[in-house]
Structure formats: structure tokens, C-alpha cells
């Protein structure tokens, strides 16, 4: 059930995104488009509640429950930037908007860009870690929480990789070639 709900939430994310942007740019109904886009967090809330109910009803905490927590964490940390990314492209393609902004390639600007990107991933990882820890506490000492702990380890690794990449660009960012 949890996996099916995760798939439904992911498909729902893209359907709501396409619907909201279509209303905003194609139908020229920006308020309705924003209203549809604001429904996106409801999907994650439904997944979170369903996961808690599943655990409360005696399900053994396994990788599916961990994946649900990670999915919600990634939606919180990366959802807004994904919507902004899609909005720029949709506006450019269908509404005569400016071309999408490309990330800088060199120097300090590239390092700042990488730290912002890492910040979003770190936020996603921290939210997932918090939700996973809440699930561990919810299950309690009587249940097996090893799969949830495994997801926590993966989130820590993911955070470390993103910080390392941002640090690399801060310490060794390339200079623009001479014209």
C-alpha cells in the first residue's frame, strides 16, 4: 500500500504541476494555477498520515516506510526548486517568457550556486532524518527499526556528498577562460 501511495503522490505531483502551469500560462488564470500548485503539499501530508496509520496498525517498519519519509523530505527540500525550474521552462515555451536561467560556470558565482543547491539537498536530508527518527520513536523499542536506521545512514551520506561537492567548488572553482 505504501509503495502504491508513493507512486500516486509522484504522479500526482507532476499532474498538479502540469495542471497548475497550464492554468497559469495557457488558460491565463494565474490565481487558479497557484491554487492548484498549492495542493502539492497535500499529497505529502496524505502519504505521511497513511504511513503513520500503517505503522500504528501493526505493520513492521521496513524500507517502504523509510522511503515514504525520504520522499516527503525530498518534496520539502527540493519541491519548490523543481516547481521554479518547470515554471521557467513552461513560461519560456508557452508564454513568451525569458529563457531559463542557466547556472554560472565559473568562480565565486558557481560556488554560491553549488552551496544553494547543497542547502536544498541538506534540507531534504534533514527533514527525512527527522521523519525517520519520529518513525523510530513511534515504533518504539518493541519493533524492528533497522530499516529506518539504514535510511538514516543513507541520508547522512547524501548530505555529506552534497556538502563535499559544494566545498569542492568553493576551494577549487575554475576561473573563466580568457576571452
Amino acid at each position: 500500500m505504501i509503495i502504491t501511495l508513493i507512486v500516486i503522490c509522484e504522479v500526482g505531483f507532476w499532474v498538479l504541476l502540469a495542471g497548475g502551469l497550464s492554468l497559469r500560462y495557457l488558460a491565463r488564470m494565474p490565481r487558479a494555477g497557484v491554487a492548484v500548485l498549492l495542493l502539492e503539499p497535500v499529497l505529502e501530508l496524505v502519504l505521511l498520515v497513511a504511513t503513520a496509520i500503517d505503522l500504528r496498525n501493526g505493520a513492521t517498519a521496513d524500507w517502504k516506510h523509510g522511503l515514504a519519509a525520504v520522499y516527503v523530505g525530498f518534496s520539502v527540500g527540493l519541491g519548490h526548486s523543481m516547481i521554479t525550474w518547470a515554471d521557467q521552462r513552461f513560461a519560456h515555451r508557452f508564454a513568451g517568457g525569458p529563457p531559463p536561467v542557466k547556472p554560472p560556470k565559473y568562480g565565486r558565482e558557481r560556488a554560491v550556486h553549488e552551496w544553494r543547491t547543497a542547502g536544498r539537498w541538506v534540507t531534504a536530508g534533514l527533514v527525512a532524518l527527522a521523519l525517520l527518527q519520529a518513525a523510530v520513536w513511534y515504533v518504539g523499542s518493541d519493533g524492528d527499526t533497522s530499516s529506518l536506521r539504514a535510511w538514516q545512514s543513507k541520508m547522512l551520506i547524501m548530505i555529506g556528498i552534497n556538502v563535499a561537492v559544494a566545498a569542492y567548488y568553493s576551494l577549487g572553482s575554475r576561473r573563466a577562460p580568457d576571452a
Side-chain angles (χ1 to χ4, degrees), residues 22-43:
S22 294
L23 284 170
R24 186 173 185 176
Y25 294 111
L26 300 178
R28 305 220 190 285
M29 299 170 65
R31 287 186 182 175
V34 169
V36 169
L37 291 174
L38 287 174
L39 292 174
E40 303 257 357
V42 173
L43 295 172

Side-chain angles (χ1 to χ4, degrees), residues 95-118:
V101 177
K102 293 186 178 189
K105 292 184 180 181
Y106 305 105
R108 183 180 188 286
E109 295 81 18
R110 178 60 186 232
V112 168
H113 169 77
E114 291 299 329
W115 278 109
R116 284 190 184 129
T117 301

Side-chain angles (χ1 to χ4, degrees), residues 41 44 70-81 120 123-124 127-128 131:
E44 282 70 35
V70 170
Y71 180 84
V72 172
F74 279 34
S75 294
V76 170
L78 303 170
H80 184 267
S81 62
R120 288 191 282 276
T123 300
V127 170
L131 291 172

Side-chain angles (χ1 to χ4, degrees), residues 9 36 47 60 77 83 86 89 96 134-135 143:
C9 286
V36 169
L47 178 60
T60 302
I83 291 170
R89 278 142 188 83

Side-chain angles (χ1 to χ4, degrees), residues 4-162:
T4 303
L5 197 52
I6 292 171
V7 171
I8 289 169
C9 286
E10 183 64 17
V11 170
F13 173 83
W14 291 105
V15 167
L16 288 174
L17 181 60
L21 294 176
S22 294
L23 284 170
R24 186 173 185 176
Y25 294 111
L26 300 178
R28 305 220 190 285
M29 299 170 65
R31 287 186 182 175
V34 169
V36 169
L37 291 174
L38 287 174
L39 292 174
E40 303 257 357
V42 173
L43 295 172
E44 282 70 35
L45 185 61
V46 167
L47 178 60
L48 194 60
V49 169
T51 303
I53 290 171
D54 192 43
L55 289 171
R56 183 178 183 141
N57 288 339
T60 302
D62 62 6
W63 67 272
K64 296 176 280 205
H65 298 96
L67 181 61
V70 170
Y71 180 84
V72 172
F74 279 34
S75 294
V76 170
L78 303 170
H80 184 267
S81 62
M82 289 176 66
I83 291 170
T84 302
W85 176 87
D87 185 56
Q88 288 177 349
R89 278 142 188 83
F90 207 93
H92 177 66
R93 176 84 168 102
F94 296 108
V101 177
K102 293 186 178 189
K105 292 184 180 181
Y106 305 105
R108 183 180 188 286
E109 295 81 18
R110 178 60 186 232
V112 168
H113 169 77
E114 291 299 329
W115 278 109
R116 284 190 184 129
T117 301
R120 288 191 282 276
W121 283 93
V122 168
T123 300
L126 290 175
V127 170
L129 279 168
L131 291 172
L132 289 162
Q133 187 59 45
V136 166
W137 290 333
Y138 191 67
V139 170
S141 59
D142 295 337
D144 179 21
T145 59
S146 60
S147 63
L148 300 175
R149 296 284 185 199
W151 276 109
Q152 285 180 319
S153 297
K154 290 173 185 158
M155 291 301 96
L156 289 171
I157 291 168
M158 185 267 309
I159 288 170
I161 289 170
N162 278 280

